[in-house]
Amino acid sequence: MTHTTEAGLRGGIDLGGTKIEAIVVDAANRVLGSSRHPTPIRGTPQDVAAEMSQAITEAAQAAGTTTSALIGVGVGSPGSVDATTGTVSSARNLPGWDGSYELGNELSHRLGTRVAIGNDVQVATAGEFKLGVGRSYSSLLGIFWGTGVGGGLVFAGKPWRGRGGAGEIGHMVIRRGGRRCPCGNEGCVEAYAGRAAMEAHARREIEGGRRSALLEIMQHKQRERFTSAVWETAVDRGDELAVELIDGAVEALAAGAASAVNLLDVEAVVIGGGLGVRFGEGYVERIRKAMRKHLFPGHTMPDVQLVALGDLGGALGAALLVDQASG
Amino acid sequence: MTHTTEAGLRGGIDLGGTKIEAIVVDAANRVLGSSRHPTPIRGTPQDVAAEMSQAITEAAQAAGTTTSALIGVGVGSPGSVDATTGTVSSARNLPGWDGSYELGNELSHRLGTRVAIGNDVQVATAGEFKLGVGRSYSSLLGIFWGTGVGGGLVFAGKPWRGRGGAGEIGHMVIRRGGRRCPCGNEGCVEAYAGRAAMEAHARREIEGGRRSALLEIMQHKQRERFTSAVWETAVDRGDELAVELIDGAVEALAAGAASAVNLLDVEAVVIGGGLGVRFGEGYVERIRKAMRKHLFPGHTMPDVQLVALGDLGGALGAALLVDQASG
């Protein structure tokens, strides 16, 4: 590896509710090294930062470098992100993170390079828009179907962040007075489609005496939560409760996506996230089909596509933050 | 009136499902003359064009001029508008307008001046954004609560039209499998809040034996439909059916508005339309309050305001189209 190449290396970390994905890329955004760690499910933001630090250090080693030799590291984070100060607040899906934490400063200290932080789904949407399936569109809606349901928006070729928090497609109301959402409101898309909400619902049903193989599959896979792989296996086996909940998720995502398209008339809807990538093309087709009955008759159906960058989209989008920071 | 002033005069026509509002304005957008006609509820697009022509001719007379002396006339129209050809298609709330009609050419012929056509709610939103309550914001969502429920969007100071049809907030889904909407889908905001949908629902209830003063009030006001004034009088008298439907409309509008804000995180929501203007500040406050329970907890409540231009907002916004056309 030449010095010139090394000088252009950047890191990207996608901090998810289930896993931390870290990569090191070159100037052409080719992945030279990567590492994946499970997100701590107990502890404090400090513990999460330590795990992130470990993951990006391993990715740098795999790329034949060290973190302090990187131009910088970009991070896509859940919760409310202050890009200027690197502070992350109210990251509900992370342990002990109800308050604010200076994630940027902490990581910068540990890694010996500068750190830029953005909202996870906005970052992943920008990644797909610049490097993935979104390249051929000037407007799109990204839907990230995972622990929660997040969204990202691009209008006229530019990301739209509103007052900083735009994209909460998971909290569009699709059933007034409906199921309680982890956010506290009722009838949100995420209440039906978020992996955490579906797990909570399934556990209540099972405790209430309903039969399901979900717990057994989870234990067999040596997991503590119903991961995307657990859901997939249960659905593949025809587990009634799992099929019912995933079908409900497809309907909820489709109603939210169609509502958003009726309002925004974007060219494309791009579907990713842990569950989106795991279930893949077949489910994108199901969502597309279910959107039709909610699409405003005067509208043209937008393209509905699976993300092209797969599991690494969030980390690739995060690495793009470093370019922006040096620009 | 001097020749200089006359040279700068423009016309604006707001073509609504219930009424046609025509104005003539000077270069500073002051209204010099106006006229209001009921929208024909039977007949053809030709009949509607004749009525529009009559209205703007009277407005020009009131301003001491003639239509052929105007720089041009802008029109805000429902349905699907092709601004380039002046063609309006699928205007469901207008008589015999399921197909396409060259409204621009027809009016231009009748009026002896050029005619620019835009989508009614996009035009009204642009009016509020440039001349009304929206002047202090860079992003907003306009909600027009009338015969139907329409919306307009401004992001970063610019109107967002998507692929031409953006803004259909009335067709966001707030109750999957809910009430049938005039658009044919189920559970849309408009199914609960649109004046036409509410009238159809009320008439079915009344035919089914439910007591209500709505028909009697309509007849007393010598109307053929439940106009905004009819609804207001019925609610003021405590008519149970009217109160129930208007309460449901407030809840539906609030769920749709909050969903849109959760997705877009705009600075302001501006409420207008025939019913919005008629019910006024008190109802804007009710909608604002009802939005809170659907607002994503991480978001800041946007300003929620009544339109400042009132009934004339649509026509003023339409007149702005002429400036754009000459630019």
Side-chain angles (χ1 to χ4, degrees):
Chain A
M1 191 167 291
T2 70
H3 180 73
T4 320
T5 308
E6 227 175 28
L9 301 188
R10 291 162 295 136
I13 307 178
D14 180 28
L15 172 58
T18 306
K19 61 183 197 303
I20 293 160
E21 193 87 54
I23 59 171
V24 167
V25 298
D26 66 12
N29 294 299
R30 280 175 299 215
V31 178
L32 305 184
S34 70
S35 172
R36 176 189 289 188
H37 282 223
T39 307
I41 61 178
R42 293 179 199 88
T44 66
Q46 189 93 19
D47 298 319
V48 175
E51 203 72 31
M52 292 170 76
S53 179
Q54 188 60 35
I56 189 68
T57 299
E58 289 168 15
Q61 278 164 0
T65 184
T66 60
T67 60
S68 60
L70 301 173
I71 301 179
V73 173
V75 174
S77 170
S80 178
V81 174
D82 184 330
T84 317
T85 62
T87 305
V88 175
S89 312
S90 313
R92 295 179 287 116
N93 290 324
L94 299 175
W97 211 312
D98 293 333
S100 288
Y101 180 68
E102 293 200 352
L103 181 62
N105 283 344
E106 175 67 24
L107 285 177
S108 190
H109 247 90
R110 287 176 178 267
L111 304 176
T113 187
R114 63 207 172 88
V115 171
I117 308 198
N119 170 280
D120 53 357
V121 284
Q122 287 170 357
V123 157
T125 301
E128 282 295 329
F129 180 65
K130 287 191 188 157
L131 305 173
V133 72
R135 278 177 302 176
S136 43
Y137 305 106
S138 70
S139 63
L140 63 84
L141 164 67
I143 301 183
F144 295 87
W145 180 25
T147 310
V149 177
L153 297 163
V154 175
F155 300 135
K158 287 187 189 149
W160 173 250
R161 301 193 185 90
R163 293 172 294 172
E168 294 292 353
I169 192 168
H171 302 284
M172 291 176 72
V173 185
I174 51 159
R175 190 178 290 271
R176 280 176 47 215
R179 198 179 288 170
R180 179 71 62 182
C181 182
C183 81
N185 294 344
E186 285 175 351
C188 302
V189 171
E190 187 171 311
Y192 300 92
R195 192 169 43 210
M198 287 194 296
E199 174 168 345
H201 189 81
R203 285 183 185 269
R204 278 193 303 274
E205 293 273 306
I206 292 165
E207 278 159 25
R210 181 136 182 212
R211 291 186 56 173
S212 168
L214 277 161
L215 280 170
E216 183 203 310
I217 294 167
M218 179 190 80
Q219 283 149 9
H220 182 77
K221 288 188 189 285
Q222 300 186 296
R223 301 290 187 167
E224 298 190 53
R225 294 198 275 194
F226 298 179
T227 60
S228 299
V230 170
W231 284 105
E232 187 186 35
T233 303
V235 167
D236 284 350
R237 287 200 203 161
D239 182 81
E240 200 189 66
L241 178 59
V243 168
E244 183 182 305
L245 282 165
I246 293 291
D247 285 356
V250 166
E251 290 294 327
L253 290 167
S259 277
V261 169
N262 290 347
L263 184 63
L264 301 172
D265 197 22
V266 287
E267 293 167 16
V269 174
V270 176
I271 296 174
L275 280 163
V277 170
R278 171 68 61 167
F279 281 105
E281 274 297 352
Y283 274 71
V284 168
E285 179 54 35
R286 288 187 60 191
I287 292 167
R288 185 190 294 128
K289 212 170 152 189
M291 281 175 67
R292 289 196 186 279
K293 65 174 173 288
H294 300 296
L295 191 76
F296 181 61
H299 276 12
T300 306
M301 187 73 180
D303 290 346
V304 183
Q305 306 241 31
L306 187 65
V307 290
L309 306 176
D311 265 354
L312 291 184
L316 276 163
L320 289 174
L321 287 174
V322 177
D323 272 346
Q324 288 166 14
S326 30
Chain B
M1 190 167 290
T2 69
H3 180 73
T4 318
T5 309
E6 229 175 27
L9 300 189
R10 291 163 296 136
I13 308 178
D14 180 26
L15 173 57
T18 307
K19 61 182 197 304
I20 293 161
E21 192 87 55
I23 59 171
V24 166
V25 298
D26 65 13
N29 294 298
R30 279 173 300 215
V31 178
L32 305 184
S34 70
S35 172
R36 176 189 289 188
H37 282 223
T39 307
I41 61 178
R42 292 179 200 89
T44 65
Q46 190 93 18
D47 297 319
V48 175
E51 202 73 31
M52 293 171 75
S53 178
Q54 187 61 33
I56 189 69
T57 299
E58 289 168 16
Q61 278 164 359
T65 184
T66 61
T67 59
S68 59
L70 301 173
I71 300 179
V73 173
V75 175
S77 171
S80 177
V81 175
D82 185 330
T84 316
T85 62
T87 306
V88 175
S89 312
S90 314
R92 295 179 287 115
N93 290 324
L94 299 175
W97 211 312
D98 292 332
S100 289
Y101 180 68
E102 294 200 350
L103 181 63
N105 283 345
E106 175 68 26
L107 285 177
S108 191
H109 247 88
R110 287 175 179 269
L111 304 176
T113 187
R114 64 208 172 88
V115 171
I117 308 197
N119 170 281
D120 52 357
V121 283
Q122 288 170 357
V123 156
T125 301
E128 282 296 328
F129 180 65
K130 288 192 186 154
L131 305 173
V133 72
R135 279 176 302 175
S136 43
Y137 305 105
S138 70
S139 62
L140 63 82
L141 165 67
I143 301 182
F144 295 86
W145 180 26
T147 310
V149 177
L153 298 162
V154 175
F155 300 134
K158 287 186 189 151
W160 173 251
R161 300 190 185 93
R163 293 173 293 170
E168 294 292 353
I169 192 169
H171 302 284
M172 291 176 73
V173 185
I174 50 159
R175 189 179 291 272
R176 280 175 45 214
R179 197 179 289 170
R180 180 71 62 180
C181 182
C183 81
N185 294 343
E186 286 175 351
C188 301
V189 171
E190 187 172 310
Y192 300 92
R195 191 168 45 211
M198 288 195 296
E199 174 168 344
H201 189 81
R203 284 183 186 268
R204 279 194 302 274
E205 293 273 304
I206 292 165
E207 278 159 25
R210 182 138 181 210
R211 290 187 56 174
S212 167
L214 276 162
L215 281 170
E216 182 203 312
I217 293 166
M218 180 190 80
Q219 283 149 8
H220 182 77
K221 289 187 189 283
Q222 300 186 295
R223 301 291 186 166
E224 298 190 53
R225 294 199 275 195
F226 297 179
T227 60
S228 299
V230 170
W231 284 105
E232 187 186 34
T233 303
V235 167
D236 284 351
R237 287 201 202 160
D239 182 81
E240 200 188 67
L241 178 60
V243 168
E244 184 183 304
L245 282 165
I246 293 290
D247 284 357
V250 166
E251 289 294 328
L253 290 167
S259 277
V261 169
N262 291 347
L263 183 63
L264 300 172
D265 197 22
V266 287
E267 293 167 16
V269 175
V270 176
I271 295 173
L275 279 162
V277 169
R278 171 68 62 164
F279 280 104
E281 274 297 352
Y283 274 72
V284 168
E285 179 55 34
R286 287 187 61 191
I287 292 167
R288 185 190 294 126
K289 212 170 153 189
M291 281 175 68
R292 290 195 185 278
K293 66 173 173 289
H294 300 296
L295 192 76
F296 181 61
H299 276 11
T300 306
M301 187 73 181
D303 290 346
V304 183
Q305 306 240 34
L306 186 65
V307 290
L309 305 176
D311 265 352
L312 291 185
L316 277 163
L320 290 174
L321 287 175
V322 177
D323 272 345
Q324 290 166 13
S326 31

mmCIF file of all heavy atoms in Angstrom, chain B residues 128-144:
data_model
loop_
_atom_site.group_PDB
_atom_site.id
_atom_site.type_symbol
_atom_site.label_atom_id
_atom_site.label_comp_id
_atom_site.label_asym_id
_atom_site.label_seq_id
_atom_site.Cartn_x
_atom_site.Cartn_y
_atom_site.Cartn_z
ATOM 1 N N GLU B 128 -49.278 32.428 0.382
ATOM 2 C CA GLU B 128 -49.048 32.626 1.821
ATOM 3 C C GLU B 128 -47.561 32.758 2.126
ATOM 4 O O GLU B 128 -47.155 33.520 3.001
ATOM 5 C CB GLU B 128 -49.640 31.465 2.628
ATOM 6 C CG GLU B 128 -51.144 31.522 2.802
ATOM 7 C CD GLU B 128 -51.625 32.725 3.611
ATOM 8 O OE1 GLU B 128 -50.906 33.181 4.518
ATOM 9 O OE2 GLU B 128 -52.737 33.207 3.312
ATOM 10 N N PHE B 129 -46.752 31.994 1.394
ATOM 11 C CA PHE B 129 -45.308 32.024 1.637
ATOM 12 C C PHE B 129 -44.719 33.383 1.250
ATOM 13 O O PHE B 129 -43.900 33.935 1.971
ATOM 14 C CB PHE B 129 -44.624 30.903 0.852
ATOM 15 C CG PHE B 129 -43.139 30.858 1.055
ATOM 16 C CD1 PHE B 129 -42.607 30.555 2.302
ATOM 17 C CD2 PHE B 129 -42.278 31.133 0.005
ATOM 18 C CE1 PHE B 129 -41.228 30.529 2.500
ATOM 19 C CE2 PHE B 129 -40.908 31.101 0.194
ATOM 20 C CZ PHE B 129 -40.377 30.807 1.441
ATOM 21 N N LYS B 130 -45.190 33.956 0.132
ATOM 22 C CA LYS B 130 -44.598 35.211 -0.353
ATOM 23 C C LYS B 130 -45.251 36.456 0.218
ATOM 24 O O LYS B 130 -44.605 37.480 0.399
ATOM 25 C CB LYS B 130 -44.675 35.267 -1.888
ATOM 26 C CG LYS B 130 -43.704 34.293 -2.535
ATOM 27 C CD LYS B 130 -43.566 34.551 -4.024
ATOM 28 C CE LYS B 130 -42.697 33.469 -4.653
ATOM 29 N NZ LYS B 130 -42.985 33.270 -6.076
ATOM 30 N N LEU B 131 -46.567 36.374 0.478
ATOM 31 C CA LEU B 131 -47.291 37.593 0.871
ATOM 32 C C LEU B 131 -47.961 37.479 2.235
ATOM 33 O O LEU B 131 -48.392 38.474 2.794
ATOM 34 C CB LEU B 131 -48.384 37.898 -0.165
ATOM 35 C CG LEU B 131 -47.946 38.017 -1.631
ATOM 36 C CD1 LEU B 131 -49.172 38.142 -2.535
ATOM 37 C CD2 LEU B 131 -47.019 39.223 -1.816
ATOM 38 N N GLY B 132 -48.080 36.257 2.774
ATOM 39 C CA GLY B 132 -48.897 36.077 3.967
ATOM 40 C C GLY B 132 -48.120 35.649 5.192
ATOM 41 O O GLY B 132 -47.008 36.098 5.447
ATOM 42 N N VAL B 133 -48.704 34.719 5.931
ATOM 43 C CA VAL B 133 -48.180 34.317 7.228
ATOM 44 C C VAL B 133 -46.868 33.541 7.081
ATOM 45 O O VAL B 133 -46.100 33.414 8.025
ATOM 46 C CB VAL B 133 -49.244 33.469 7.981
ATOM 47 C CG1 VAL B 133 -49.391 32.081 7.368
ATOM 48 C CG2 VAL B 133 -48.920 33.358 9.456
ATOM 49 N N GLY B 134 -46.577 33.035 5.869
ATOM 50 C CA GLY B 134 -45.382 32.226 5.673
ATOM 51 C C GLY B 134 -44.115 33.026 5.476
ATOM 52 O O GLY B 134 -43.018 32.460 5.419
ATOM 53 N N ARG B 135 -44.226 34.353 5.383
ATOM 54 C CA ARG B 135 -43.054 35.170 5.056
ATOM 55 C C ARG B 135 -41.878 34.975 6.002
ATOM 56 O O ARG B 135 -40.729 35.151 5.642
ATOM 57 C CB ARG B 135 -43.434 36.654 5.014
ATOM 58 C CG ARG B 135 -44.085 37.064 3.704
ATOM 59 C CD ARG B 135 -44.512 38.502 3.752
ATOM 60 N NE ARG B 135 -45.452 38.733 4.862
ATOM 61 C CZ ARG B 135 -45.918 39.907 5.220
ATOM 62 N NH1 ARG B 135 -45.550 40.985 4.567
ATOM 63 N NH2 ARG B 135 -46.776 40.024 6.221
ATOM 64 N N SER B 136 -42.155 34.627 7.276
ATOM 65 C CA SER B 136 -41.067 34.528 8.251
ATOM 66 C C SER B 136 -40.473 33.122 8.352
ATOM 67 O O SER B 136 -39.647 32.864 9.216
ATOM 68 C CB SER B 136 -41.563 34.986 9.627
ATOM 69 O OG SER B 136 -42.848 34.467 9.876
ATOM 70 N N TYR B 137 -40.871 32.202 7.479
ATOM 71 C CA TYR B 137 -40.348 30.834 7.546
ATOM 72 C C TYR B 137 -39.610 30.465 6.263
ATOM 73 O O TYR B 137 -39.897 31.015 5.200
ATOM 74 C CB TYR B 137 -41.495 29.839 7.762
ATOM 75 C CG TYR B 137 -42.330 30.153 8.978
ATOM 76 C CD1 TYR B 137 -43.596 30.705 8.847
ATOM 77 C CD2 TYR B 137 -41.831 29.917 10.248
ATOM 78 C CE1 TYR B 137 -44.358 31.012 9.962
ATOM 79 C CE2 TYR B 137 -42.588 30.221 11.369
ATOM 80 C CZ TYR B 137 -43.849 30.769 11.219
ATOM 81 O OH TYR B 137 -44.589 31.067 12.326
ATOM 82 N N SER B 138 -38.693 29.500 6.386
ATOM 83 C CA SER B 138 -38.040 28.994 5.175
ATOM 84 C C SER B 138 -38.607 27.635 4.764
ATOM 85 O O SER B 138 -38.359 27.164 3.661
ATOM 86 C CB SER B 138 -36.530 28.911 5.369
ATOM 87 O OG SER B 138 -36.210 27.882 6.270
ATOM 88 N N SER B 139 -39.356 26.989 5.682
ATOM 89 C CA SER B 139 -39.999 25.724 5.310
ATOM 90 C C SER B 139 -41.397 25.691 5.913
ATOM 91 O O SER B 139 -41.590 26.098 7.059
ATOM 92 C CB SER B 139 -39.187 24.520 5.816
ATOM 93 O OG SER B 139 -39.101 24.507 7.218
ATOM 94 N N LEU B 140 -42.347 25.226 5.142
ATOM 95 C CA LEU B 140 -43.703 25.134 5.683
ATOM 96 C C LEU B 140 -44.540 24.116 4.935
ATOM 97 O O LEU B 140 -44.234 23.717 3.813
ATOM 98 C CB LEU B 140 -44.400 26.498 5.708
ATOM 99 C CG LEU B 140 -44.680 27.250 4.414
ATOM 100 C CD1 LEU B 140 -45.951 26.735 3.739
ATOM 101 C CD2 LEU B 140 -44.896 28.724 4.733
ATOM 102 N N LEU B 141 -45.583 23.697 5.619
ATOM 103 C CA LEU B 141 -46.612 22.836 5.070
ATOM 104 C C LEU B 141 -47.916 23.619 5.097
ATOM 105 O O LEU B 141 -48.337 24.072 6.161
ATOM 106 C CB LEU B 141 -46.744 21.582 5.952
ATOM 107 C CG LEU B 141 -47.994 20.711 5.774
ATOM 108 C CD1 LEU B 141 -48.001 20.034 4.418
ATOM 109 C CD2 LEU B 141 -48.080 19.669 6.890
ATOM 110 N N GLY B 142 -48.529 23.813 3.920
ATOM 111 C CA GLY B 142 -49.835 24.465 3.853
ATOM 112 C C GLY B 142 -50.920 23.406 3.789
ATOM 113 O O GLY B 142 -50.787 22.427 3.052
ATOM 114 N N ILE B 143 -51.966 23.555 4.601
ATOM 115 C CA ILE B 143 -53.082 22.603 4.574
ATOM 116 C C ILE B 143 -54.351 23.370 4.232
ATOM 117 O O ILE B 143 -54.704 24.317 4.939
ATOM 118 C CB ILE B 143 -53.252 21.883 5.927
ATOM 119 C CG1 ILE B 143 -51.971 21.119 6.286
ATOM 120 C CG2 ILE B 143 -54.451 20.932 5.895
ATOM 121 C CD1 ILE B 143 -52.071 20.342 7.586
ATOM 122 N N PHE B 144 -55.011 22.965 3.147
ATOM 123 C CA PHE B 144 -56.198 23.677 2.707
ATOM 124 C C PHE B 144 -57.414 22.784 2.898
ATOM 125 O O PHE B 144 -57.608 21.807 2.205
ATOM 126 C CB PHE B 144 -56.010 24.169 1.272
ATOM 127 C CG PHE B 144 -54.900 25.192 1.228
ATOM 128 C CD1 PHE B 144 -53.577 24.792 1.090
ATOM 129 C CD2 PHE B 144 -55.177 26.526 1.442
ATOM 130 C CE1 PHE B 144 -52.544 25.723 1.131
ATOM 131 C CE2 PHE B 144 -54.152 27.466 1.484
ATOM 132 C CZ PHE B 144 -52.833 27.061 1.325
#
